[in-house]
Amino acid sequence: MPTTPTHPDAPLTIDANVRASSYFVLRATHACRHCRHATPVYALALPPGHESTEAEIELDDDGESRGLDPGAFHDWLFSPPTWQRVPGPALISQVGILAADVAAHLRQAAPALRPDPDGQGQWTNFCEHCGHAIWEGDLYPTVGQAFCPKDDAAATQVLVQTVHAPFAAYASMIWSDGYRNKWPLFKRLGVACGEAD
Ligand SMILES: [Zn+2]
């Protein structure tokens, strides 16, 4: 029986940087680099209209801000998060924290995706054959990988489950539709992608 949150209005009391009123659980197949067997892998995506905290500030390798004086940087660092509505969809990865209801849903909907105790608890796919953690760099960034299908035909290999329940997470990587190579995946979610008029 699907897990339906019983308290949709309950605050999602986690340090989230993305949230939405619904979300997508994606399933694809990946050839494990350790054992070479095909294994199911899962990812999370958010529909247009999801929200993200305003964090457009850029930090260089030393953690120093660019383009803000120290006072403004301090104010930004210690200010409460400002939620912004994002008009486009997003694929999220490097997920550190998930709202409890979402985590509970994934336990049955995406059993290969779970926190990696050897990777700071980051939500990670594990090969169902050999048990190795699957590196995100094998799944997300490059055209032809499980969550970067090269065209509409390849995108049909991604199975999409829409979950009509609140979502909140802290994700270090948010693939927006600014990443053109994610357009076939976003179209698979039913989102039109194209040049702005
Ligand atoms: Zn394997």
Side-chain angles (χ1 to χ4, degrees):
M1 175 172 171
T3 312
T4 305
T6 48
H7 305 289
D9 296 329
L12 295 162
T13 54
I14 63 168
D15 243 345
N17 69 342
V18 284
R19 65 186 186 185
S21 56
S22 67
Y23 59 102
F24 302 106
V25 179
L26 312 182
R27 177 190 161 128
T29 301
H30 169 71
C32 174
R33 68 159 63 214
H34 300 282
C35 71
R36 306 288 172 191
H37 286 105
T39 191
V41 287
Y42 300 86
L44 294 163
L46 303 176
H50 70 277
E51 293 182 304
S52 167
T53 55
E54 187 175 20
E56 295 299 313
I57 196 168
E58 291 196 359
L59 303 179
D60 65 22
D61 291 342
D62 298 325
E64 302 282 347
S65 64
R66 279 199 289 254
L68 276 184
D69 65 57
F73 177 64
H74 180 278
D75 289 346
W76 169 80
L77 195 60
F78 293 100
S79 64
T82 304
W83 289 98
Q84 284 189 322
R85 188 178 179 279
V86 180
L91 172 69
I92 66 170
S93 68
Q94 297 179 26
V95 175
I97 307 171
L98 277 176
D101 284 344
V102 179
H105 178 72
L106 294 183
R107 273 193 284 280
Q108 47 97 14
L113 183 62
R114 50 188 188 266
D116 181 3
D118 297 325
Q120 289 93 43
Q122 180 173 296
W123 283 75
T124 301
N125 282 282
F126 290 85
C127 177
E128 71 176 9
H129 305 285
C130 71
H132 274 99
I134 297 168
W135 180 48
E136 288 205 349
D138 282 344
L139 300 179
Y140 292 89
T142 304
V143 172
Q145 293 177 333
F147 299 118
C148 199
K150 69 177 165 61
D151 55 23
D152 295 349
T156 63
Q157 302 300 309
V158 179
L159 304 181
V160 180
Q161 179 196 43
T162 304
V163 184
H164 295 284
F167 181 91
Y170 188 91
S172 297
M173 189 65 215
I174 299 174
W175 308 86
S176 69
D177 58 5
Y179 292 89
R180 281 170 158 264
N181 66 17
K182 299 295 179 286
W183 286 6
L185 183 74
F186 291 142
K187 285 174 72 180
R188 176 71 175 151
L189 305 180
V191 178
C193 290
E195 301 292 348
D197 292 332

